[in-house]
Amino acid sequence: MNFLECFNDIKCDMWQNLSDTKDPIVLYGMGDGAEKILDVLDAKNIPVAGIFASDGFVPKKKKLFRDFEIESYSDIKRRLGRMTVLVSFGTKISDVIENILEISKENTLFAPDVPVFGSGILDLEYFKENLVRFENVYSKLSDDISKKAYICCLKFRLTGDISYLRECETDADESYRNIIKPYPGSTYIDIGAYNGDTIREFSSYSTNKITVHAIEPDIRNFKKLSAYAENCGIKNLTLHNAAAWDKNETITFFSRSGRNSANTTSHKNAKAIEVLGINADSITQKAEFIKIDAEGADIKALSGCRRLICECSPTLCVAAYHRTEDYFAIPEFIFSQNDSYELYFRHFPHIPCWDTNFYFKPKYV
């Protein structure tokens, strides 16, 4: 079956289904995701009948979100009966995912794909406009797991149907053992190091006998990273309180003290500060492994790795879910710099389609 034939069963996208449904549409959850979903629904003139939280998580005092009073699931179910539920938050917590699955047994349920950063919705129109670019990436994927995950994640993003995600999940251990394969003595650059979680993960496979450059711009995250570095046992660990960028300059950064701190923002209540932007090429002469999770600035961060990518061909792990165009723009950029890579794609358990990565592995390694 060729690439396009894999989508023969997709007759319309989720947004068209929402326009056509006779059931009341409700959002499950609040926050940035709900804000973005409501904005798209408003633009498409699709009415919303309410917003709910899980039973036991509704404030005792009346709380409004975009003029909707927050209800419990039990209360909104009694009020509306059968509904179309839109999951409006992200989670990888198994108990929360199980609760979502239980709700899906009683209602039509979608998890809308709205970009974490930037604009543009991956609907059928967008898919058709960029079909050649999606197909070109698919043709470069190096194993069946990658091809299945790429197709399933695209189908999810088009339809909001979480069963596609469940169908293609793998875990981090599989990617470390079969793709990344860390080893002692290597140099590892962690772009978006957060609190040291991915350094800890990487070193559990490579041992502590590695050289690490950790880049994290958020000051509160950086304090947690510094506390981890003091006791992690990695002697050659250099911390950079900066944002990965294409050149060394001062940039505006929006701090949220979490994974979603970034140089661009659509988040409310994010504080704008000035931070140093640095390019990875300037901090080390070599690298065998680079991880990039730059919260929407991934291409900028990759641009700052041009020399390393061209001269060293490091194994790359790049987050693939921040912007709508990431599914083709990230591979296009890297292959324009170095076409000697094998390409892999993995999705770890998460609703919606986050925790999804491209892996670029040098051939013959």
Side-chain angles (χ1 to χ4, degrees):
M1 183 180 294
N2 66 32
F3 177 77
L4 190 55
E5 288 174 342
C6 294
F7 297 87
N8 283 343
D9 57 328
I10 309 296
K11 304 304 180 186
C12 65
D13 58 46
M14 184 201 69
W15 304 102
Q16 185 61 54
N17 275 327
L18 293 177
S19 294
D20 295 342
T21 186
K22 303 301 182 184
D23 292 337
I25 297 170
V26 300
L27 270 63
Y28 176 20
M30 297 154 280
D32 294 323
E35 293 276 6
K36 292 176 181 180
I37 291 167
L38 285 170
D39 287 344
V40 177
L41 294 171
D42 286 347
K44 293 180 178 292
N45 296 313
I46 300 173
V48 174
I51 298 177
F52 73 90
S54 300
D55 290 351
F57 288 88
V58 178
K60 292 181 180 180
K61 187 177 180 180
K62 179 179 176 181
K63 181 178 180 181
L64 296 179
F65 183 84
R66 292 271 289 257
D67 296 328
F68 291 95
E69 181 177 351
I70 305 306
E71 303 176 70
S72 69
Y73 176 59
S74 296
D75 287 342
I76 203 168
K77 185 168 60 171
R78 280 192 291 269
R79 179 168 71 87
L80 296 176
R82 183 173 176 83
M83 307 166 285
T84 292
V85 175
L86 306 183
V87 179
S88 304
F89 59 92
T91 185
K92 60 181 179 181
I93 301 171
S94 58
D95 289 348
V96 179
I97 291 175
E98 286 304 315
N99 187 54
I100 291 171
L101 294 173
E102 287 301 313
I103 292 173
S104 73
K105 294 176 183 177
E106 301 178 335
N107 308 276
T108 301
L109 183 141
F110 301 112
D113 180 78
V114 289
V116 181
F117 297 96
S119 59
I121 298 295
L122 208 167
D123 54 16
L124 272 177
E125 181 180 5
Y126 186 97
F127 180 72
K128 291 174 181 176
E129 287 175 352
N130 294 282
L131 177 61
V132 172
R133 301 174 80 177
F134 287 121
E135 190 170 18
N136 186 50
V137 173
Y138 179 77
S139 71
K140 294 180 183 296
L141 293 169
S142 296
D143 67 355
D144 290 339
I145 297 174
S146 298
K147 291 177 179 178
K148 180 177 181 179
Y150 194 71
I151 293 294
C152 284
C153 287
L154 279 172
K155 284 187 169 185
F156 163 77
R157 296 178 72 184
L158 287 166
T159 66
D161 184 346
I162 62 176
S163 67
Y164 289 120
L165 297 183
R166 308 286 287 175
E167 191 178 331
C168 69
E169 294 172 351
T170 53
D171 58 28
D173 180 71
E174 186 275 334
S175 66
Y176 273 104
R177 294 189 183 282
N178 295 333
I179 305 172
I180 304 174
K181 299 181 179 179
Y183 55 83
S186 57
T187 297
Y188 170 55
I189 302 175
D190 192 333
I191 293 176
Y194 186 41
N195 62 7
D197 56 345
T198 44
I199 300 171
R200 183 183 301 108
E201 196 173 66
F202 186 92
S203 63
S204 71
Y205 291 88
S206 66
T207 79
N208 287 342
K209 296 179 180 180
I210 53 176
T211 297
V212 178
H213 291 272
I215 302 174
E216 172 55 49
D218 184 89
I219 187 61
R220 284 168 288 188
N221 290 343
F222 189 78
K223 288 179 180 178
K224 297 175 185 177
L225 176 62
S226 299
Y228 163 76
E230 288 180 3
N231 300 297
C232 69
I234 301 174
K235 293 182 179 180
N236 297 319
L237 173 52
T238 304
L239 306 183
H240 305 266
N241 187 199
W245 204 237
D246 59 342
K247 54 183 173 292
N248 295 336
E249 64 178 0
T250 300
I251 62 174
T252 301
F253 178 81
F254 295 87
S255 176
R256 285 166 51 83
S257 185
R259 289 184 175 276
N260 295 122
S261 297
N263 76 290
T264 59
T265 187
S266 55
H267 299 299
K268 293 189 174 181
N269 303 317
K271 182 180 178 182
I273 58 175
E274 287 191 339
V275 302
L276 176 65
I278 62 172
N279 67 75
D281 283 344
S282 68
I283 63 176
T284 180
Q285 289 303 303
K286 72 180 188 74
E288 285 78 31
F289 301 94
I290 302 176
K291 183 222 83 179
I292 297 179
D293 189 348
E295 299 299 333
D298 305 283
I299 296 293
K300 283 284 191 180
L302 282 165
S303 296
C305 301
R306 276 194 174 101
R307 179 186 57 79
L308 290 167
I309 291 171
C310 293
E311 294 180 5
C312 304
S313 297
T315 296
L316 303 167
C317 170
V318 187
Y321 60 89
H322 294 130
R323 295 180 179 272
T324 300
E325 65 270 23
D326 282 348
Y327 273 37
F328 51 78
I330 288 172
E332 286 173 352
F333 177 84
I334 292 174
F335 283 116
S336 73
Q337 306 301 310
N338 185 339
D339 62 1
S340 65
Y341 279 111
E342 294 177 347
L343 177 62
Y344 298 85
F345 184 85
R346 294 292 189 270
H347 170 69
F348 303 150
H350 201 291
I351 296 174
C353 198
W354 304 349
D355 274 4
T356 303
N357 301 314
F358 281 114
Y359 298 89
F360 300 82
K361 186 175 181 61
K363 293 179 181 177
Y364 316 118
V365 173

